[in-house]
Amino acid sequence: MKAATRPEEAEPMRIASLLASATEIIAALGLRGNLVGVSHCCDYPAGVEGLPVLTSSVVDKAAPQAEIDRIVRAHLADNAALYALDTDLLEKLQPDLIVTQALCDVCAVSGEDVEAALGAIASKPRLVNLEPVTLADVLKTIHAVAVAAGVPERGEQLVMRLNARIDRVVARVARHETSPRVLLLDWLDPPFMGGHWIADLITLAGGVDVSGLSGAPSRRTDWDEVAALQPDYLILAMCGFEPARTRADAALGEAAAALAALEHAGTRVRIVDGNGLFNRPGPRLVDSLELLASLIHPLSDESPSSRRLSLR
């Protein structure tokens, strides 16, 4: 008779992540080795790019921002998918857990597409949809992923560590008497104000969010409205773009003229990483908070890496 498998000999959970922030959460929970597939956007922590890629996009990231915006709007108007899911590969990988999102069709493969693919997977995976709209929600999703993966205590410990870092930022900025007016843009052509958890980050960093979008999606705006809001700091965190690409785009056309006028009027323009930071609802939102606090409440020992993020 075959001996019963002891608990410690059980097969490790196989996890497929269809979202960059979910991959970061899974890795932060110590489950990097359980990942069997990721999305085309997953690039952190280092090495996940080598895993099987389960999604693809119709959007060319190298295209001008205006062209990307046009393609996205056209697809959404026609209810056409921006992302494709490799269902054959997903079936082959036989995951036990799939982590995705149902918050934003612009950000990742739709939750409906994933649910439609579940019937063909013999392993009958559990599906976890993440839909955070505030920083508090993001911390809750970390715990939800931990529970689904069978490591709830790791989720509790990770959230505790992240909250301790948040508390340290709040305590530091509380010593400042001023609260700068801050606006974050997550797109330049056309300009979009960052929504969802961005207002939380600005407030916790000791600033005043002037977008009015707390918990709400990003919103299209124009440069006249940006100027009328009179931000002391304008943070450029282009969704999916690293600082070098944002800096290049900020030097083009209407954006260049508008940003120059804002700087002339006294607004401090700062460029940050909109790919790994600020726009990914995972553990590195706390990194984003720490960076934002150092930008709008700089210390004498401000890190050189922070200073290099300025527009000029």
Side-chain angles (χ1 to χ4, degrees):
M1 179 180 295
K2 184 178 179 180
T5 302
R6 293 180 300 178
E8 62 269 28
E9 295 176 341
E11 288 293 323
M13 177 175 287
R14 299 171 60 82
I15 305 175
S17 169
L18 305 181
L19 193 63
S21 59
T23 296
E24 296 192 18
I25 291 171
I26 292 162
L29 290 170
L31 299 172
R32 163 66 180 81
N34 295 76
L35 282 167
V36 296
V38 295
S39 81
H40 65 285
C41 291
C42 294
D43 56 12
Y44 186 89
V48 297
E49 310 97 312
L51 291 169
V53 177
L54 289 159
T55 65
S56 58
S57 172
V58 302
V59 178
D60 179 5
K61 279 185 63 174
Q65 288 193 34
E67 176 63 10
I68 294 174
D69 178 70
R70 185 195 66 77
I71 293 171
V72 168
R73 286 188 290 106
H75 275 70
L76 293 179
D78 294 339
N79 290 318
L82 285 165
Y83 303 95
L85 175 65
D86 190 335
T87 54
D88 291 338
L89 178 57
L90 188 62
E91 183 178 359
K92 179 181 178 180
L93 293 174
Q94 292 295 314
D96 303 302
L97 173 66
I98 299 174
V99 186
T100 185
Q101 61 92 45
L103 177 67
C104 175
D105 288 341
V106 176
C107 298
V109 65
S110 75
E112 291 180 359
D113 289 347
V114 180
E115 290 183 6
L118 291 182
I121 303 176
S123 58
K124 302 301 178 186
R126 178 177 179 180
L127 178 64
V128 174
N129 266 316
L130 307 182
E131 302 182 61
V133 296
T134 65
L135 181 58
D137 290 341
V138 173
L139 298 179
K140 290 177 182 177
T141 65
I142 292 173
H143 184 66
V145 172
V147 169
V151 290
E153 70 290 341
R154 296 190 195 178
E156 294 171 1
Q157 293 166 5
L158 177 56
V159 170
M160 187 179 304
R161 292 195 299 271
L162 293 173
N163 272 321
R165 290 170 59 192
I166 292 171
D167 290 343
R168 286 196 291 271
V169 171
V170 172
R172 182 178 80 75
V173 300
R175 299 196 296 266
H176 293 265
E177 296 181 356
T178 60
S179 297
R181 294 169 58 82
V182 182
L183 178 65
L184 183 144
L185 298 183
D186 61 18
W187 205 249
L188 280 178
D189 190 9
F192 271 76
M193 298 180 188
H196 291 139
W197 47 83
I198 295 300
D200 295 337
L201 297 182
I202 291 172
T203 301
L204 290 168
V208 175
D209 169 59
V210 298
S211 75
L213 294 177
S214 179
S218 298
R219 177 175 71 79
R220 182 170 178 168
T221 183
D222 57 47
W223 292 110
D224 287 340
E225 183 181 12
V226 171
L229 290 171
Q230 298 181 317
D232 297 308
Y233 285 90
L234 179 64
I235 311 298
L236 306 184
M238 301 303 98
C239 189
F241 292 161
E242 295 179 349
R245 168 65 192 269
T246 300
R247 188 171 289 108
D249 288 351
L252 300 174
E254 187 179 3
L259 292 170
L262 283 161
E263 287 192 305
H264 182 73
T267 296
R268 297 174 177 86
V269 181
R270 298 291 184 264
I271 292 175
V272 296
D273 182 1
N275 179 49
L277 302 180
F278 290 93
N279 295 303
R280 286 191 187 179
R284 286 199 290 170
L285 278 188
V286 178
D287 295 44
S288 307
L289 170 62
E290 292 167 342
L291 173 59
L292 182 60
S294 74
L295 292 175
I296 68 174
H297 287 299
L299 299 173
S300 58
D301 59 350
E302 180 186 74
S303 69
S305 60
S306 296
R307 290 196 294 270
R308 285 201 300 270
L309 294 173
S310 61
L311 182 62
R312 303 303 177 195

